[in-house]
């Protein structure tokens, strides 16, 4: 009988599950053995079961297309990705260290700017950052934390090293899909999960709730918490609703909130106006408050920034936190860790060339066909150039763009990102993956056990964003019994 | 509870009730046609007339054949009161209030929507249509059951009761209107012979035949049926009962203002209808009046608890 797994060929990259084509890594033995025993038919059945569960549970994301926006079923691959708990504990430490340093930096940027004064980062970088908000200068969020929710993207290179690719400190999304992926895996492989010691992840909503409570204005004992969404047409609306539901918080839109003369935020309820203490906002800075940012925005709440500055409401993440996920600022994170924490970074950055630096720009121009170039402030994989896959015409066009606005670009060597076995048509094939763990910082600091593994479904592709056809996998952090 | 959520959840309940009632009406109408001998002046065009959508129908179809009418009333996207449209609106309102409702209830509505979407083609033949309608009616009942078993009887639940019962009262009055239409003075002698079949089918549309027999008697007589369906306070689909349900829910909601008094007035009005003395023409105007009073009630509810138009970017998709 032919097995779906028979001809699995790992390529030149590091494979998350296998040492070589037929050698599972230490933590992956049970999974590989189990999958090996399944026939094509039973794998196919499980795949269909997963797809049906996703449809029925309504796990979707919204994509914009020519025909307006549509809900797409969440793309999911049933074969999980495994990380051993020992390694994970180290990564977890590194992520906490990183977010602490980033928050120290944010606090400093909007206050004394010692990091700049010490000459550790050119002041122009901060001043020209699209996400630096002068309106936030002098603010002191509770616990000195600006970025309360961080989604960092990790990738593994061919030698096995985990690199931080970027930090998302504005409104990172994906955590609901991480949780739902596990729910689906439990439905699809109930017998498998019984025998493997996987760290649970379902405490995230409780941790998020705790964190949000911890940043409420000091005088409030049992805070009223809301999730602020741009509305049903936003691509992450599913997640906003999911998190509100899981926390038992209200899901509000801008029009539900109002700032009264006492500079407090209220929501319009059937009982009248009810005070709001903590807002987990999923609206970008620019749209938060038309009094301060974009005047034409109807998504936000007029006066919200006044209420925040007066200390009457907490905003997570704090406005202005995005200055630290500028991809140019990213290059300075190891230095931040040294400066603020007096430690060495546990997780390395991907080597990064700053196009704003003439010498580095020169190098980038010369080696463009080996590099990945990214705009400093885009997300979702938009506006990137992948050198080795680009045509000479594309390369030339990008050279022009970069010359015009070098501050806006960074370049990185193309890593050979690790792969994970993925069900493709009727075969299991290696596909590139990344990982987005979520880190929460309020009074305490917390990291999810694993994160959202995204997978590039096209052969050889490095693009994992779901808006661009990427998929996802359940991620298992497992305790391995040492033999 | 947010005013916006209250509004969406209220509409969710209305649209689901409408979905269920559309299924009931068509299913019973099919049975009625099967019961009546060929040649009586009832047919599919009447169903379009009852729903008050003749103009829209003839924009899209030439003839009111069984196939066309079933398609138009059940699965047509262009028809905002088709069963599929109602179900889609219900799902959309639910998708945007998921944080207030049990997961199972969302999955139930979503599954029903997916079922309808995948089986749109089956309604053109009778066999397929029967299966389709049964699945929808059962699905709506499962939803109601899930909520009553899983959901706190809190404010959101009260708005569901409000929406459901306003829609239900309105639909029951429209179904009674159907009876008056069919009983027009000009009806043929032959048609008069089959009156009790007609009334039995009306009772069945509202799942009330058994209850009618238990409470009124086994003889199915027009006046008694009307009386029962208008004024009974224990039968879930009787208008009197819907009004009591609405009244219950309203009293438990904050800021109900003058609504309980208005409800008392409405109740008095319904209870004073004397079907023995009304002509068919009078009855029609009574039912029209009742419908406009229910519309007023909706406006009062909306004014009391929902966001005003300028506060709300989302306008409930009202047909």
């Amino acid at each position: 009988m032919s097995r779906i797994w028979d001809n699995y060929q790992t390529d030149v990259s590091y494979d998350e599950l296998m040492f070589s084509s037929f050698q599972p890594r230490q933590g992956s033995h049970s999974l590989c053995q189990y999958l090996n025993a399944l026939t094509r038919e039973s794998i196919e059945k499980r795949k269909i079961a997963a797809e049906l569960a996703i449809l029925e549970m309504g796990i979707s994301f919204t994509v914009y297309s020519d025909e307006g926006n549509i809900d797409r079923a969440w793309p999911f691959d049933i074969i999980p990705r495994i990380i051993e708990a020992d390694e994970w504990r180290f990564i977890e430490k590194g992520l906490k260290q990183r977010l602490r340093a980033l928050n120290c930096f944010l606090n400093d940027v909007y206050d004394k700017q010692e990091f700049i004064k010490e000459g550790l980062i050119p002041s122009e970088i901060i001043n020209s950052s699209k996400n630096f908000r002068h309106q936030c200068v002098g603010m002191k969020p509770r616990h000195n934390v600006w970025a309360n929710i961080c989604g960092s993207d990790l990738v593994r290179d061919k030698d096995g090293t985990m690199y931080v690719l970027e930090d998302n400190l504005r409104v990172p999304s994906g955590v609901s899909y991480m949780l739902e992926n596990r729910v689906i895996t439990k439905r699809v492989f109930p017998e498998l999960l019984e025998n493997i010691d996987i760290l649970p992840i379902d405490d995230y909503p409780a941790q998020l709730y705790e964190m949000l409570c911890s940043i409420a204005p000091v005088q409030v004992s049992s805070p009223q918490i809301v999730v602020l969404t741009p509305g049903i047409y936003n691509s992450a609306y599913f997640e906003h609703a999911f998190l509100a539901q899981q926390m038992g918080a209200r899901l509000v839109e801008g029009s539900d909130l109002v700032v009264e003369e006492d500079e407090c935020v209220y929501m319009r309820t059937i009982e009248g106006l009810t005070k709001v203490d903590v807002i987990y906002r999923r609206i970008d800075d620019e749209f938060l408050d038309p009094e301060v940012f974009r005047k034409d925005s109807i998504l936000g709440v007029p006066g919200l920034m006044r209420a925040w500055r007066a200390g009457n409401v907490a905003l997570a993440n704090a406005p202005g936190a995005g200055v630290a996920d500028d991809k140019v600022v990213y290059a300075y994170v190891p230095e931040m860790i040294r400066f603020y924490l007096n430690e060495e970074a546990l997780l390395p950055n991907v080597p990064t060339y700053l196009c704003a630096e003439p010498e580095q720009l020169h190098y980038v121009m010369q080696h463009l066909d080996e590099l990945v170039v990214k705009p400093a402030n885009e997300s979702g994989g938009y506006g990137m150039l992948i050198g080795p896959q680009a045509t000479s015409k594309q390369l030339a066009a990008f050279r022009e763009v970069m010359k015009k606005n070098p501050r806006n670009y960074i370049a990185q060597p193309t890593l050979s990102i690790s792969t994970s076995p993925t069900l493709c048509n009727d075969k299991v094939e290696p596909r590139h993956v990344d990982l987005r763990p979520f880190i929460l910082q309020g009074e305490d600091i917390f990291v999810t056990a694993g994160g959202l593994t995204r997978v590039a479904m096209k052969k050889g592709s490095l693009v994992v964003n779901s808006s661009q056809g990427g998929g996802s996998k359940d991620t298992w952090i497992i305790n391995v019994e040492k033999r | 509870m947010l005013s916006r959520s209250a509004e969406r959840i209220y509409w969710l309940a209305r649209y689901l009730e409408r979905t269920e009632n559309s299924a009931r009406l068509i299913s019973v109408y099919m049975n009625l046609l099967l019961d009546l001998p060929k040649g009586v002046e009832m047919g599919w065009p009447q169903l379009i007339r009852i729903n008050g959508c003749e103009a829209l129908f003839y924009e899209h179809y030439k003839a009111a054949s069984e196939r066309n009418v079933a398609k138009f009333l059940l699965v047509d996207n262009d028809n905002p009161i088709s069963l599929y449209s109602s179900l889609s609106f219900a799902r959309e309102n639910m998708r945007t209030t998921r944080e207030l409702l049990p997961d199972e209830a969302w999955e139930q509505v979503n599954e029903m929507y997916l079922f309808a979407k995948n089986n749109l083609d089956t309604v053109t033949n009778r066999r397929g249509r029967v299966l389709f309608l049964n699945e929808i009616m059962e699905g709506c009942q499962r939803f109601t059951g899930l909520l009553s078993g899983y959901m706190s009887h809190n404010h959101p639940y009260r708005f569901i009761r409000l929406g459901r019962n306003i829609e239900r009262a309105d639909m029951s009055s429209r179904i009674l209107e159907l009876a008056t239409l069919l009983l027009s003075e000009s009806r043929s002698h032959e048609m008069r012979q089959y009156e009790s079949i007609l009334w039995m089918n009306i009772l069945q549309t509202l799942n009330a035949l058994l209850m009618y027999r238990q409470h009124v008697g086994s003889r199915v007589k027009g006046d008694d049926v009307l009386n029962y369906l208008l004024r009974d306070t224990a039968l879930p689909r009787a208008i009197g009962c819907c009004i009591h349900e609405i009244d219950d829910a309203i009293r438990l909601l904050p800021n109900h203002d003058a609504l309980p008094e208005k409800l008392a007035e409405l109740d008095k009005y319904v209870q004073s209808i004397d079907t023995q003395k009304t002509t068919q023409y009078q009855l029609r105007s009574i039912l029209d009046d009742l419908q406009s009073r229910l519309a007023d009630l909706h406006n009062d509810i909306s004014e009391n608890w929902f966001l005003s138009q300028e506060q709300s970017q989302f306008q409930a998709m009202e047909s």
Side-chain angles (χ1 to χ4, degrees):
Chain A
M1 212 180 331
S2 75
R3 305 285 176 189
I4 201 153
W5 196 255
D6 279 352
N7 298 308
Y8 187 70
Q9 287 284 338
T10 55
D11 63 10
V12 288
S13 317
Y14 179 103
D15 192 86
E16 296 287 336
L17 232 53
M18 317 287 264
F19 280 118
S20 61
S21 292
F22 298 104
Q23 263 298 312
R25 292 183 186 280
Q26 198 183 4
S28 317
H29 276 287
S30 314
L31 175 68
C32 289
Q33 219 166 29
Y34 175 85
L35 289 173
N36 242 334
L38 295 178
T39 59
R40 272 169 199 278
E41 290 72 30
S42 58
I43 289 241
E44 189 61 24
K45 264 191 202 146
R46 284 173 164 81
K47 185 181 170 219
I48 291 168
E51 283 165 356
L52 199 65
I54 287 165
L55 268 182
E56 285 177 355
M57 291 161 73
I59 308 172
S60 64
F61 68 106
T62 308
V63 274
Y64 301 95
S65 69
D66 295 341
E67 304 113 66
N69 66 309
I70 45 164
D71 273 354
R72 267 202 210 152
W74 177 246
F76 175 73
D77 179 66
I78 58 174
I79 304 175
R81 179 251 190 100
I82 288 180
I83 300 173
E84 285 179 40
D86 283 350
E87 184 189 15
W88 185 253
R89 277 186 274 275
F90 175 79
I91 295 173
E92 187 181 358
K93 236 175 163 177
L95 290 168
K96 287 180 177 172
Q97 176 196 50
R98 203 170 165 95
L99 185 57
R100 277 204 194 96
L102 282 163
N103 272 315
C104 290
F105 170 74
L106 281 164
N107 218 38
D108 187 26
V109 159
Y110 290 107
D111 190 21
K112 297 189 181 126
Q113 300 205 329
E114 279 168 357
F115 195 70
I116 300 174
K117 284 177 195 149
E118 291 284 323
L120 297 172
I121 195 171
S123 60
E124 304 91 73
I125 290 181
I126 303 303
N127 296 333
S128 63
S129 171
K130 222 170 84 181
N131 292 312
F132 178 80
R133 309 271 170 227
H134 65 87
Q135 297 91 339
C136 300
V137 170
M139 257 309 278
K140 287 271 163 219
R142 258 189 104 177
H143 314 296
N144 292 328
V145 175
W146 292 66
N148 304 102
I149 303 121
C150 169
S152 292
D153 290 340
L154 304 179
V155 289
R156 201 195 288 279
D157 198 12
K158 59 172 170 284
D159 64 356
T161 314
M162 275 283 198
Y163 288 95
V164 179
L165 190 63
E166 61 183 61
D167 307 287
N168 295 287
L169 304 174
R170 283 171 279 178
V171 286
S173 60
V175 76
S176 60
Y177 300 112
M178 170 190 91
L179 297 170
E180 294 284 49
N181 283 354
R182 178 65 52 85
V183 173
I184 298 163
T185 307
K186 282 181 182 166
R187 283 199 192 185
V188 177
F189 292 128
E191 63 282 21
L192 176 57
L193 275 94
E194 217 169 282
N195 305 321
I196 304 181
D197 186 8
I198 308 170
L199 299 191
I201 50 173
D202 48 15
D203 58 338
Y204 179 81
Q207 295 285 353
L208 177 62
Y209 187 82
E210 283 297 309
M211 184 281 286
L212 292 171
C213 285
S214 83
I215 63 168
V218 217
Q219 62 278 12
V220 180
S221 55
S222 56
Q224 177 74 251
I225 294 170
V226 302
V227 177
L228 175 60
T229 173
I232 57 172
Y233 300 114
N234 186 270
S235 62
Y237 181 80
F238 168 84
E239 172 151 311
H240 307 159
F242 178 91
L243 291 175
Q245 188 214 29
Q246 295 285 309
M247 290 193 290
R250 298 284 86 86
L251 178 65
V252 303
E253 295 174 19
S255 59
D256 296 319
L257 299 181
V258 59
V259 177
E260 293 282 278
E261 273 171 20
D262 59 358
E263 305 222 316
C264 289
V265 182
Y266 295 86
M267 55 181 172
R268 303 179 214 268
T269 74
I270 55 168
E271 272 127 343
L273 294 180
T274 307
K275 191 160 170 281
V276 171
D277 305 303
V278 181
I279 300 177
Y280 175 17
R281 54 96 173 202
R282 295 293 300 255
I283 294 183
D284 285 329
D285 284 0
E286 281 185 286
F287 300 97
L288 267 184
D289 180 354
E291 275 183 15
V292 177
F293 303 117
R294 280 178 63 155
K295 308 272 174 284
D296 59 339
S297 167
I298 50 159
L299 300 177
V301 188
L304 188 58
M305 288 294 284
R306 275 189 280 123
W308 179 64
R309 293 206 58 120
N312 294 332
V313 71
L315 290 174
N317 288 336
V323 67
D325 78 16
D326 184 307
K327 291 189 179 68
V328 177
V329 174
Y330 157 90
Y332 295 89
V333 173
E335 196 53 49
M336 289 174 201
I337 295 173
R338 246 168 256 137
F339 182 73
Y340 295 111
L341 307 180
N342 203 17
E343 294 170 12
E344 280 305 307
L346 297 173
L347 297 173
N349 266 10
V350 179
T352 301
Y353 303 99
L354 304 174
C355 300
E357 303 280 324
E359 273 167 42
Q360 298 187 29
L361 178 64
H362 182 74
Y363 177 89
V364 172
M365 291 292 188
Q366 299 296 312
H367 297 84
L368 201 54
D369 57 348
E370 304 158 17
L371 299 170
V372 176
V373 185
K374 298 175 185 173
N377 285 300
E378 291 296 327
S379 56
Y382 291 102
M384 276 173 51
L385 174 89
I386 298 172
Q389 293 173 10
T391 62
S392 55
K393 213 171 156 191
Q394 284 168 326
L395 291 174
F398 235 80
R399 283 198 179 91
E400 283 308 303
V401 183
M402 286 161 56
K403 235 184 264 166
K404 272 194 200 121
N405 186 4
R407 158 67 178 87
N408 197 39
Y409 291 93
I410 61 153
Q412 295 169 334
T414 36
L415 303 184
S416 171
I417 298 179
S418 65
T419 58
S420 187
T422 302
L423 202 54
C424 302
N425 297 321
D426 56 351
K427 272 200 297 214
V428 176
E429 291 182 5
R431 288 292 182 268
H432 295 294
V433 290
D434 78 349
L435 179 66
R436 177 177 287 184
F438 295 85
I439 311 111
L440 298 175
Q441 188 179 2
E443 194 174 3
D444 299 317
I445 193 160
F446 166 86
V447 182
T448 49
L452 177 66
T453 290
R454 298 182 300 175
V455 47
M457 296 304 282
K458 266 186 248 151
K459 193 172 185 155
S461 169
L462 298 171
V463 181
V464 294
N465 300 86
S466 38
S467 49
Q468 302 195 25
S472 73
K473 283 168 169 292
D474 193 10
T475 310
W476 293 357
I477 306 299
I478 63 169
N479 282 311
V480 183
E481 281 175 40
K482 297 281 178 275
R483 298 170 196 208
Chain B
M1 181 186 195
L2 283 176
S3 298
R4 181 178 45 77
S5 309
E7 185 169 9
R8 287 187 187 172
I9 228 168
Y10 166 89
W11 276 107
L12 156 70
R14 284 199 75 152
Y15 283 122
L16 267 188
E17 185 65 23
R18 200 174 286 179
T19 304
E20 186 180 348
N21 280 314
S22 306
R24 271 174 203 291
L25 187 60
I26 291 169
S27 145
V28 171
Y29 204 78
M30 259 166 75
N31 278 328
L32 179 63
L33 291 187
L34 290 175
D35 279 350
L36 294 174
K38 282 203 166 49
V40 297
E41 64 270 30
M42 272 191 54
W44 292 98
Q46 267 90 340
L47 208 48
I48 301 290
R49 187 132 46 96
I50 298 153
N51 281 291
C53 48
E54 284 164 300
L56 185 65
F57 177 81
Y58 288 108
E59 264 175 43
H60 295 276
Y61 299 90
K62 277 197 187 116
S65 65
E66 174 169 355
R67 187 193 154 88
N68 287 351
V69 172
K71 233 180 128 200
F72 177 72
L73 290 178
L74 290 177
V75 297
D76 223 333
N77 252 337
D78 298 324
N79 175 8
I81 67 157
S82 76
L83 182 145
Y84 183 63
S85 299
S86 298
L87 183 55
S88 309
F89 293 147
R91 177 181 180 264
E92 190 59 16
N93 277 287
M94 186 149 191
R95 192 169 82 83
T96 54
T97 38
R98 279 184 65 182
E99 80 277 14
L100 298 174
L101 298 160
D103 276 337
E104 294 82 355
W106 155 253
E107 285 182 31
Q108 170 56 31
V109 171
N110 194 41
E111 270 175 47
M112 188 161 48
Y113 166 80
L114 293 171
F115 165 81
K117 196 176 159 194
N118 294 329
N119 290 282
L120 294 176
D121 300 339
T122 63
V123 304
T124 44
N125 71 69
R126 280 197 183 173
R127 222 184 95 72
R129 197 183 313 144
V130 169
L131 295 174
F132 182 91
L133 294 173
N134 281 344
E135 183 64 36
I136 296 291
M137 287 187 277
E138 280 170 21
C140 290
Q141 286 297 312
R142 270 199 292 275
F143 172 80
T144 308
L146 274 169
L147 289 196
S148 93
Y150 290 170
M151 190 175 177
S152 283
H153 291 194
N154 50 10
H155 289 333
Y157 191 77
R158 288 171 193 135
F159 279 102
I160 288 184
R161 277 178 79 196
L162 272 187
R164 177 191 298 149
N165 282 290
I166 287 196
E167 185 69 25
R168 193 175 274 181
D170 184 69
M171 284 300 277
S172 292
S173 80
R174 284 174 203 276
I175 288 164
L176 292 179
E177 223 180 331
L178 156 69
T180 67
L181 202 80
L182 298 172
L183 292 177
S184 65
E185 301 298 331
S186 62
R187 68 195 187 279
S188 67
H189 174 70
E190 196 183 7
M191 185 75 195
R192 283 167 206 260
Q193 288 182 313
Y194 294 99
E195 256 174 46
S196 73
I197 289 183
L198 172 70
W199 287 112
M200 270 169 59
N201 275 288
I202 298 279
L203 283 168
Q204 255 164 4
T205 317
L206 301 172
N207 274 54
L209 185 55
L210 179 70
M211 295 301 144
Y212 175 88
R213 289 204 162 116
Q214 286 178 7
H215 291 274
V216 186
S218 49
R219 222 179 117 230
V220 177
K221 229 179 101 227
D223 290 345
D224 289 342
V225 173
L226 274 171
N227 235 347
Y228 182 57
L229 294 180
L230 275 169
R231 284 161 50 180
D232 192 76
T233 53
L235 179 80
R237 286 171 198 278
I239 292 167
C241 184
C242 293
I243 288 169
H244 283 206
E245 281 275 314
I246 295 168
D247 186 51
D248 266 3
I250 274 176
R251 284 172 193 277
L252 292 168
L253 285 168
N255 300 331
H256 53 53
D257 293 351
L259 278 170
E261 290 100 86
K262 288 187 180 171
L263 257 282
E265 219 172 275
L266 182 59
D267 190 38
K268 214 170 126 199
Y269 172 78
V270 171
Q271 293 304 330
S272 68
I273 300 173
D274 185 351
T275 54
Q276 311 291 335
K277 287 184 198 142
T278 48
T279 63
Q280 183 259 345
Y281 178 78
Q282 282 169 327
L283 187 61
R284 280 199 70 183
S285 82
I286 288 172
L287 292 171
D288 279 349
D289 196 24
L290 191 56
Q291 282 158 24
S292 84
R293 282 170 190 250
L294 288 169
D296 289 344
L297 182 60
H298 163 77
N299 289 335
D300 290 338
I301 287 173
S302 169
E303 229 161 77
N304 251 29
W305 289 300
F306 303 158
L307 292 186
S308 63
Q309 294 298 342
E310 64 267 26
Q311 286 162 355
S312 170
Q313 292 155 38
F314 172 88
Q315 304 223 336
M317 291 157 285
E318 195 172 355
S319 63

